Each structure stands twice: as structure tokens, then as C-alpha cells.
Amino acid sequence: MIATKNVQSFIGGKFRDSSAQKVDPIPNPATGQTIASLPHSTREEIDEAVAAAKKAFPTWSETPVPERAQVMFRFKALFDKHIDELSAIVTQENGKTLDESRGEVKRAIEVIDFACGAPTLMMGHNLDQIARGIDEELTRFPVGVVAGITPFNFPNMVPMWMIPVAIVTGNTFVLKPSQLTPLSAMRIAELLDEAGLPEGVFNVVHGANDAVNQLLKHPDISAISFVGSATVAAYIYATAAANGKRVQALGGAKNHILVMDDADLELSAPHVISSAFGNAGQRCLAGSVAVGVGKIGDALVRELANDAAKLKVGPGTDPKTTLGPVIRGERKQKLIEYIDGAEAEGAQLISDGREVDQKDGFFLGPTIFDRVTPNMKIWKDELFGPVLSVVRASDIDEALKVLNSSTYGNMASIFTGSGKYAREFKRRAQAGMLGVNIGVAAPMAFLPFTGWKNSFFGDLHATGQDSIRFYTRHKVVTTRWL
Ligand code: NAD
């Protein structure tokens, strides 16, 4: 576990106390009690972190790729060894259940697995005799200093979408984790240090908007990887690009799950429930809108209400808990305002999570609305909490019309027994990640994590071959020997 109560930064291979004036308390969302204090790094400290990364770059980028991969193999062994502890840190700072945290850390390990293959993944290609006596070859090079800016909901996994691939391809890195969940990042730094990563290759600074703006405009940073809400993602994309940086910015979501009238409800409904309420709904892949298609609507709502009633609200450390708290009291209040508003707009409240049997912490029970329509705020906005909307549609065309009219396009799923419906859905749904009889269509690290519309700003997505391309730039050499 983290040794000090004051969260440190990690700059040039050293864990350091900050001289910051601004300090935030970090509560455990399940108890509301302060578990650490977070000083926001000063401008000078952030400059020092970027300078350390810049200084480390020439040597690290010249280190042979198989040697860089060896650091990843050792890092992977340490992640495996400490999986319980890493999961406990996630539960402590984020609130999700220990099972959910373990799932998150396992996903992070898959990215390290992927990064271990860098000698193969970084290979270029060539064409002999492209013209008479002339050959051409493409080779890949790292881009320089990369900054990562991450959200609170996956404090271990999301930074790990970026760090292993960026580093193994020869870049150096400055991470600014969410100011709400800064503890996992520090344990990642400790393990990278233990794995033998040279000093300055990986650095961690803390803070919020000011820290981000400094990184976005810093002349020594070449690329920005961002994951967070849509409005911030759009801002990051525009600002980083205007400052000459390569940028990938993953945004928020409003994911629709179509339940067709030929779906097996008993098998399908539990997947919809775990998609909507897993991680307390604080997941960019949360299925927050279920679309009952055809005659299935009433039965679907009944089944969802029954399954939601079986969820056990409580602290993530209790093995019986299936629905943990949301991240902060203010977020809980905002969700309650959405629930009040949806009632006022005429949506039918089926399960009401506003009253829960927990006196401390930021808990909200599972909430389900039926008869939600696309003109309602609860349908338009990403709520990011344990609230599920049910929309009724008469057929697949109407269901796809609703889905495709969302301004987001992260994930969409269909539950059906029909290959024809599945095919229509796969071709026509406007989202980057699609599931067929899958509630949370999360790709593994070997494929890119993609989103459409306001769920993604940029060209190359996170993980998979996209990430290798994002963190490298290539040269094409044309050669003739006279
Ligand atoms: P957020 O946008 O509030 O914060 C994300 C990061 O941006 C944090 O590090 C924060 O300090 C920084 N930030 C916030 N506001 C800023 C501003 N005005 N200027 C500069 N920097 C700013 O997101 P969050 O609440 O931490 O996380 C939840 C959001 O992340 C949800 O919208 C969720 O859908 C999204 N998310 C998306 C994905 C994906 O893959 N698309 C994955 C995880 C989370």
C-alpha cells in the first residue's frame, strides 16, 4: 500500500514531496473518510518532470527494442505478483468492488503482455526493387515525450492503456492521473522503478485543469494521450493540436443495448444489468440505455427490475457487494438531480435508488426508468452512475434510429437469436465497439479501443496496432547504390 499519507510525485526517478499550496483531501468513496492528501504539483515541478523525460529520451530511445521489452517482462511479473494489492488500491480510492478492481488490473496486465511483443510490433516493412536498382524501407521511431491525462473510473487500467506501449516503443512519459484517484499511479511508478526502468523515462505529476493546460502547451511534449469526458476531450484535442502535438482524446459515452423480441430474456437481462450497474455505472462502456424492441418491452422491464432488486449495495471490500459507491458526494447529488428531472419530464420510475441503507460514503442504489424518450435530458446526457433508461421501439429500424441519434458513439450491443438482426446491427450501428449478445463489448489489448462521434477525437485509438502507430513516427528510405 501507499506508504505516505501525502501523495508524492515521481520525477526523474525520485519520489518527491510537493511544495504545492493547493492540497485536496482524497476520500474513500465507501466511507467518506480521508485516506490521503493530494498536493497539486507546482508549475516548476511539472516543468522538472517534462525536463526529466526530455533528458531521458536520447538514451532510452536508442536502447535496443528487445532490451526495452525486457523491462516490460519484469514489470508484467511484478503486476502479476501484486495483483491483490493493486486491486485493493483501486477499491480504496475508486470504490468499485474487489472483483471489479481485479478485472481492471487483469485488463492492465494484458496491455503489458501486448507491449512485451514490441520487437515484432515495431517492425517496419520494405519493398525490394521498387524501381530498377532501387529499394524502399519503412522504419519506426518514437515520437519523444508523451503526456498522459487520465480519468478517475479506471485508475489502474486507463493509465496502463498508455504507459507500457508508449515506453516500450522508446518514448518517455509524464502521467497526470485524475486528481480524484491518484494512488494507483504511484504504485505503478514504484513497480516500473523496481522493474529497472531508467530514471526519467516515467514521471508522475498531479493536479487538475492548470496542470493539464501546462502539459498541453509545453513545447517539449510531442504527443498527448487523453481519456475522460467528451467536453474535455474536445478541448484537449483542439488545444493540443493547436500547439503542434499529436493527440488521441477518448471521450464519454451513452451506450445503447438493443434487446430484440426474439432474445432469451432470462439469459440477456443479467448482462444488461451488469453492463448498466457494474462499476456503479461509472464505465465508458456502461449500457445506460436498454432499447426494448417489438413486443418485449413489458417483459424486459419486469426482468430488469427483478434483477436490479438482487443487487447488493455496499462497500467494495465486502465480498457480498455487487454495487459500490459513486466517486464523490457531489456526483451523487448531481445524479439525484437527474433522477428528479427525469420524473418531472415524464419518464416512469421503475426502481428508485435514491434511498439506500448505507449511512456513510457516496452510495446510490440501482435506478431504472421506463418510457424514456430521446427528447429527455436523461437520454441525451452521459449520467455516469447507476441509472438505466429503457426506451421502447417498434422495430429494429426505429431502435437503430434512436441509437444513431445519440451524439456519442462509444459502444452498442444487441441481444438477439437472429443472425439477420445481428447483421443489420453490425452494419448500421454508429459506434466504435459493438457487441452481439455481449453486455460490455470491451476489446482486449491486442485490438484498438475505438469510439465514434463525441466519444473520440483523433485518428489513432488506444491499444492494439493503433497504439504502436500513435506512439511512433516512421521514415521511408529510398536507396540506390551507384
Ligand atoms: P474528466 O473529463 O472530468 O477528467 C479527465 C481528466 O481530465 C482528469 O485528469 C482531469 O483532471 C482532466 N480535466 C477535467 N476537466 C478539465 C478541464 N476543464 N481542463 C483540463 N483538464 C481537465 O473525466 P472523469 O470524470 O475523471 O472520468 C469520467 C469520464 O471519462 C466519463 O465521461 C467517461 O465516459 C470517460 N471515459 C472514457 C473512456 C473511453 O475509453 N472513451 C474510458 C474511461 C472513461
Side-chain angles (χ1 to χ4, degrees):
M1 279 286 178
I2 303 300
T4 51
K5 236 179 142 4
N6 248 337
V7 183
Q8 294 181 301
S9 48
F10 184 60
I11 300 174
K14 299 197 174 42
F15 289 92
R16 289 182 25 181
D17 291 323
S18 169
S19 58
Q21 299 298 310
K22 181 167 170 47
V23 179
D24 284 347
I26 303 293
N28 176 337
T31 61
Q33 299 202 328
T34 301
I35 49 172
S37 301
L38 182 76
H40 288 219
S41 302
T42 62
R43 282 195 77 79
E44 293 71 31
E45 287 160 357
I46 292 172
D47 278 342
E48 280 179 55
V50 178
K54 187 182 177 190
K55 185 165 168 234
F57 181 73
T59 307
W60 181 243
S61 58
E62 284 299 317
T63 303
V65 189
E67 274 181 45
R68 294 198 302 250
Q70 287 307 313
V71 177
M72 284 301 128
F73 279 107
R74 294 195 292 273
F75 184 46
K76 141 98 176 157
L78 288 168
F79 245 70
D80 280 340
K81 181 173 162 197
H82 294 289
I83 187 166
D84 290 338
E85 185 210 346
L86 290 162
S87 309
I89 296 171
V90 172
T91 292
Q92 191 191 25
E93 65 177 337
N94 170 282
K96 65 181 75 174
T97 70
L98 280 171
D99 269 357
E100 290 167 342
S101 296
R102 209 179 161 78
E104 161 169 0
V105 178
K106 280 186 170 165
R107 289 273 166 175
I109 291 172
E110 284 161 13
V111 187
I112 318 180
D113 289 347
F114 174 72
C116 287
T120 311
L121 295 165
M122 273 191 83
M123 278 182 190
H125 44 265
N126 68 302
L127 186 62
D128 174 72
Q129 189 77 342
I130 198 164
R132 282 180 208 293
I134 295 180
D135 305 328
E136 266 187 2
E137 61 185 313
L138 177 149
T139 38
R140 296 189 181 285
F141 295 86
V143 295
V145 178
V146 177
I149 299 154
T150 53
F152 77 84
N153 64 326
F154 283 95
N156 186 301
M157 181 186 76
V158 169
M160 292 290 291
W161 282 350
M162 306 168 182
I163 300 162
V165 188
I167 284 177
V168 84
T169 48
N171 302 283
T172 56
F173 202 91
V174 178
L175 174 68
K176 201 298 288 172
S178 168
Q179 68 277 24
L180 306 180
T181 52
L183 303 183
S184 294
M186 298 318 295
R187 192 62 184 123
I188 291 170
E190 287 174 359
L191 295 182
L192 279 169
D193 198 34
E194 200 178 329
L197 190 72
E199 65 183 42
V201 175
F202 179 68
N203 306 272
V204 186
V205 295
H206 299 288
N209 304 14
D210 290 348
V212 172
N213 281 319
Q214 191 179 339
L215 293 170
L216 293 179
K217 293 172 188 164
H218 202 295
D220 293 331
I221 289 178
S222 302
I224 300 279
S225 289
F226 172 86
V227 178
S229 54
T231 319
V232 183
Y235 168 74
I236 299 277
Y237 179 65
T239 312
N243 283 274
K245 301 183 196 324
R246 182 178 286 212
V247 48
Q248 53 178 192
L250 284 69
K254 189 82 183 176
N255 305 309
H256 288 58
I257 301 184
L258 274 49
V259 184
M260 306 305 295
D261 51 12
D262 65 352
D264 181 325
L265 257 192
E266 251 178 71
L267 295 180
S268 311
H271 289 289
V272 179
I273 289 292
S274 90
S275 181
F277 300 117
N279 290 255
Q282 299 174 125
R283 208 161 33 180
C284 68
L285 294 180
S288 49
V289 182
V291 186
V293 186
K295 295 198 186 71
I296 207 164
D298 290 344
L300 172 67
V301 170
R302 254 195 324 274
E303 198 75 20
L304 291 175
N306 284 341
D307 287 346
K310 292 179 202 151
L311 292 171
K312 166 100 180 60
V313 178
T317 46
D318 180 345
K320 290 197 215 76
T321 295
T322 46
L323 180 53
V326 297
I327 190 72
R328 291 285 185 274
E330 306 87 76
R331 300 249 179 168
K332 172 181 167 176
Q333 203 40 51
K334 184 100 192 114
L335 287 162
I336 290 175
E337 282 167 26
Y338 268 111
I339 297 170
D340 296 344
E343 270 192 305
E345 277 184 298
Q348 266 177 34
L349 188 58
I350 303 294
S351 310
D352 187 350
R354 283 173 291 192
E355 293 296 322
V356 281
D357 184 20
Q358 295 286 333
K359 55 179 188 334
D360 302 315
F362 317 129
F363 291 95
L364 198 63
T367 299
I368 301 178
F369 279 102
D370 189 14
R371 306 270 173 202
V372 172
T373 52
N375 58 336
M376 295 180 186
K377 210 165 155 48
I378 194 177
W379 178 84
K380 290 183 186 141
D381 294 358
E382 179 185 44
L383 271 51
F384 222 57
V387 183
L388 173 64
S389 299
V390 179
V391 170
R392 308 287 189 110
S394 56
D395 56 21
I396 191 162
D397 291 332
E398 192 186 343
L400 282 167
K401 194 169 163 209
V402 173
L403 187 167
N404 288 340
S405 57
S406 171
T407 54
Y408 296 100
N410 213 31
M411 185 204 82
S413 278
I414 188 168
F415 280 84
T416 181
S418 151
K420 183 176 176 348
Y421 284 149
R423 182 173 187 276
E424 282 295 296
F425 171 80
K426 283 196 282 184
R427 300 200 71 248
R428 289 165 59 192
Q430 292 170 10
M433 285 168 289
L434 300 185
V436 177
N437 297 318
I438 300 278
V440 179
M444 289 178 72
F446 314 96
L447 290 164
F449 194 103
T450 86
W452 285 19
K453 301 184 188 171
N454 289 344
S455 297
F456 181 76
F457 299 87
D459 301 295
L460 293 165
H461 296 84
T463 69
Q465 269 295 345
D466 269 27
S467 63
I468 300 288
R469 289 180 64 204
F470 183 77
Y471 294 121
T472 57
R473 50 189 171 170
H474 50 248
K475 284 180 185 169
V476 176
V477 181
T478 308
T479 306
R480 170 166 56 199
W481 288 103
L482 298 171

